[in-house]
Amino acid sequence: MSPPAAGCCHVTGFKVENWKQNLRAIYQCFVWSGSAETRKAKAKSCICHMCGAHLNRLHSCLYCVFFGCFTKKHIHEHAKTKRHNLAIDLLYGGIYCFMCQDYIYDKDMEQIAKEEQRKAWKLQAFTPTVVSHYQCTMTVHFEEVQSEEGIGEKYSTWEPTKRELELLRHNPKRRKITTNCTIGLRGLINLGNTCFMNCIVQALTHTPLLRDFFLSDRHKCEMQSPSSCLVCEMSTLFQEFYSGHRSPHIPYRLLHLVWTHARHLAGYEQQDAHEFLIAALDVLHRHCKGDDNGKKANNPNHCNCIIDQIFTGGLQSDVTCQVCHGVSTTIDPFWDISLDLPGSSTPFWPLSPGSDGSVVNGESHVSGTTTLTDCLRRFTRPEHLGSSAKIKCSGCHSYQESTKQLTMKKLPIVACFHLKRFEHSAKLRRKITTYVSFPLELDMTPFMASSKESRMNGQYQQPTDSLNNDNKYSLFAVVNHQGTLESGHYTSFIRQHKDQWFKCDDAIITKASIKDVLDSEGYLLFYHKQFLEYE
């Protein structure tokens, strides 16, 4: 299927007289830099006009001579001030539209980029390579990349021949991803009270970055016995899910490995889906450490495996002394956020001012209804620790009363919220069935550590800057529990395409409406970041 001729309507403002010559000049001088002279010129001239840095994903404005950092948003400020909506990535050559807030495709621009890239390769007179270290650091030593063996993997653009195009047209097994395509959806046989495992597997296999990792065969097992590696089994599981087979899959090998590596989950009694999720992530994390990304971390206490890249966030805890107001800050990693609910023995924070029927964070409030935003507000509110929990203040050098506040220092790519519906205490063992309204789209900005100073009277003032989408998430999976604490059943809702949802009930998968999803009770909520930026 051919791509559209123009993927963005905002490029028409750039396509005026001599635009092709101007774009070619930018590619020749500032992007591909084929000759030694242009590489030296690029090293000298391509610095951010605001901070003077070579780093931070430098972009050039297509309308004027301006270089700005993408990571520090200096190019964003220029675009907003000058209304220059297009910029070019000086490392990869992609065109970014600040109106679309994404890298765009334009057939004419893409053709110019390819032609200039081929010219640069000929001038350099060496095999084109993806120079991974050079791309990551963007140092000024441009000529050092021309080693004979090259760095990284060999790269060349694949262009199908006429014969190959003909074969593709006549191949009846060719798969076309359409809006009603169900590839990736597959039921799972219940092996005896294993619905808790099946619903988590459905959520993980529909996590976009995790799917891309496994389907591109990125896992390199270094365990002595690959048959005992949970990551290898997950890789096989992804292949089974996306093979196109319609019959339910029997996850007996996965269950055996879970029993082997998380013995507290062994047996055929019903288990907690949240407990299984944390145990599965822990085992996957431990078995991923042999992968290349797991080894590359500079900090020996920090892992950069695919599990940590996707699911790990940073939770900031600020303890403030009530006497000298000194603040002690710690940051701890987390895979999920557990939220208290009204109806539990823990006193719940009052509902938000939006509970009169207005909309807050995309949630439609009905009078008396608790929302996910309410739960997050309660989670991040300052809490007085009381006289029975005094801490030794480093400023006062004595034990003092204090307040504690939790906020998000670093957000994960996938944010998992655990609604604490199962209460276990000395007096009570019960399930809390309080309905919690949760949105399709969630903005985590009010709960960030950087937003603490912006709060007024306990309420966050939403910024009007529409370009700030770094902390926005979209719902893609919901795990539900029906029944009581002693006897129940887990199901899940999975987003297959935009606004297309399916209910997964072990081996049975049925179409679901957005209303079905949002009206469900909700136990585990999975949100994926809407915008991802490369570091």
Side-chain angles (χ1 to χ4, degrees), residues 494-517:
I494 299 298
R495 189 186 69 187
Q496 174 70 356
H497 300 289
K498 182 175 173 59
D499 297 335
Q500 290 198 24
W501 289 82
F502 290 86
K503 182 179 181 180
C504 302
D505 186 352
D506 288 331
I508 302 171
I509 296 182
T510 53
K511 193 79 181 287
S513 66
I514 293 177
K515 186 177 186 301
D516 293 333
V517 178

Side-chain angles (χ1 to χ4, degrees), residues 374-391:
D374 292 328
C375 298
L376 285 166
R377 280 203 183 101
R378 184 191 185 282
F379 182 79
T380 56
R381 68 173 182 177
E383 179 186 1
H384 186 69
L385 297 181
S387 57
S388 61
K390 291 183 177 181
I391 54 106

Side-chain angles (χ1 to χ4, degrees), residues 43-260:
K44 291 179 181 178
S45 61
C46 292
I47 59 173
C48 178
H49 285 185
M50 287 193 178
C51 67
H54 286 275
L55 305 172
N56 301 320
R57 294 179 59 208
L58 207 62
H59 282 55
S60 172
C61 176
L62 286 185
Y63 296 89
C64 66
V65 182
F66 181 89
F67 301 134
C69 297
F70 195 90
T71 306
K72 292 184 178 180
K73 297 192 180 298
H74 293 154
I75 190 69
H76 297 70
E77 294 172 27
H78 173 80
K80 188 175 180 180
T81 304
K82 299 292 185 180
R83 296 181 181 271
H84 292 174
N85 298 321
L86 297 177
I88 187 168
D89 185 335
L90 297 186
L91 192 56
Y92 299 103
I95 307 291
Y96 188 89
C97 175
F98 292 94
M99 299 294 288
C100 299
Q101 298 177 32
D102 201 355
Y103 289 94
I104 61 170
Y105 173 85
D106 179 85
K107 187 177 180 180
D108 299 329
M109 289 180 166
E110 184 72 12
Q111 185 62 34
I112 292 172
K114 283 184 177 181
E115 290 173 2
E116 295 305 323
Q117 188 178 41
R118 290 193 186 102
K119 289 179 186 177
W121 284 347
K122 289 178 181 178
L123 284 171
Q124 291 169 14
F126 73 102
T127 305
T129 59
V130 176
V131 189
S132 56
H133 174 72
Y134 163 70
Q135 289 175 339
C136 291
T137 59
M138 193 164 178
T139 61
V140 298
H141 306 295
F142 292 100
E143 295 188 56
E144 292 178 7
V145 303
Q146 297 188 42
S147 59
E148 291 182 6
E149 68 276 4
I151 306 172
E153 299 173 352
K154 295 289 169 59
Y155 169 81
S156 60
T157 306
W158 175 69
E159 299 278 353
T161 64
K162 289 183 178 180
R163 171 63 178 160
E164 287 170 333
L165 287 171
E166 194 67 25
L167 287 171
L168 287 170
R169 287 191 194 98
H170 291 90
N171 185 358
K173 294 184 178 180
R174 183 165 55 116
R175 297 196 181 279
K176 181 180 179 182
I177 304 299
T178 59
T179 53
N180 61 351
C181 178
T182 58
I183 187 170
L185 288 171
R186 194 170 182 184
L188 290 165
I189 296 294
N190 192 319
L191 300 173
N193 286 329
T194 58
C195 56
F196 70 93
M197 178 181 75
N198 290 348
C199 64
I200 298 301
V201 168
Q202 292 287 0
L204 293 179
T205 50
H206 288 86
T207 301
L209 281 187
L210 203 60
R211 175 197 62 206
D212 296 346
F213 175 84
F214 282 112
L215 293 184
S216 57
D217 199 23
R218 295 283 301 281
H219 172 58
K220 296 177 178 62
C221 184
E222 293 193 2
M223 293 185 67
Q224 290 182 346
S225 176
S227 61
S228 63
C229 176
L230 186 63
V231 190
C232 289
E233 178 56 30
M234 282 297 293
S235 182
T236 303
L237 199 66
F238 271 88
Q239 293 173 30
E240 288 288 344
F241 264 71
Y242 289 90
S243 64
H245 296 309
R246 296 179 179 272
S247 58
H249 179 65
I250 308 172
Y252 66 93
R253 292 186 67 240
L254 178 69
L255 183 64
H256 169 70
L257 286 173
V258 170
W259 285 2
T260 302

Side-chain angles (χ1 to χ4, degrees), residues 215-374:
L215 293 184
S216 57
D217 199 23
R218 295 283 301 281
H219 172 58
K220 296 177 178 62
C221 184
E222 293 193 2
M223 293 185 67
Q224 290 182 346
S225 176
S227 61
S228 63
C229 176
L230 186 63
V231 190
C232 289
E233 178 56 30
M234 282 297 293
S235 182
T236 303
L237 199 66
F238 271 88
Q239 293 173 30
E240 288 288 344
F241 264 71
Y242 289 90
S243 64
H245 296 309
R246 296 179 179 272
S247 58
H249 179 65
I250 308 172
Y252 66 93
R253 292 186 67 240
L254 178 69
L255 183 64
H256 169 70
L257 286 173
V258 170
W259 285 2
T260 302
H261 297 290
R263 295 191 178 277
H264 62 290
L265 295 175
Y268 287 102
E269 63 271 14
Q270 180 64 275
Q271 303 287 353
D272 179 29
H274 173 246
E275 191 175 359
F276 176 81
L277 170 67
I278 299 304
L281 292 179
D282 178 59
V283 177
L284 287 168
H285 157 74
R286 285 190 275 120
H287 290 187
C288 271
K289 284 188 175 180
D291 279 356
D292 291 340
N293 282 333
K295 290 176 178 177
K296 285 177 183 174
N298 295 323
N299 184 350
N301 298 319
H302 173 72
C303 177
N304 198 37
C305 72
I306 188 64
I307 299 301
D308 280 297
Q309 286 185 53
I310 296 175
F311 294 97
T312 299
L315 187 66
Q316 179 169 317
S317 173
D318 295 318
V319 178
T320 306
C321 174
Q322 293 298 284
V323 176
C324 70
H325 302 291
V327 180
S328 174
T329 299
T330 56
I331 299 172
D332 298 305
F334 69 88
W335 277 334
D336 73 315
I337 299 167
S338 294
L339 301 171
D340 288 316
L341 302 180
S344 67
S345 56
T346 306
F348 193 75
W349 200 36
L351 294 176
S352 65
S355 58
D356 57 357
S358 62
V359 174
V360 177
N361 210 349
E363 295 166 323
S364 180
H365 286 65
V366 181
S367 181
T369 300
T370 303
T371 69
L372 179 62
T373 302
D374 292 328

Side-chain angles (χ1 to χ4, degrees), residues 6-13 100:
C8 168
C9 60
H10 305 109
V11 298
T12 53
C100 299

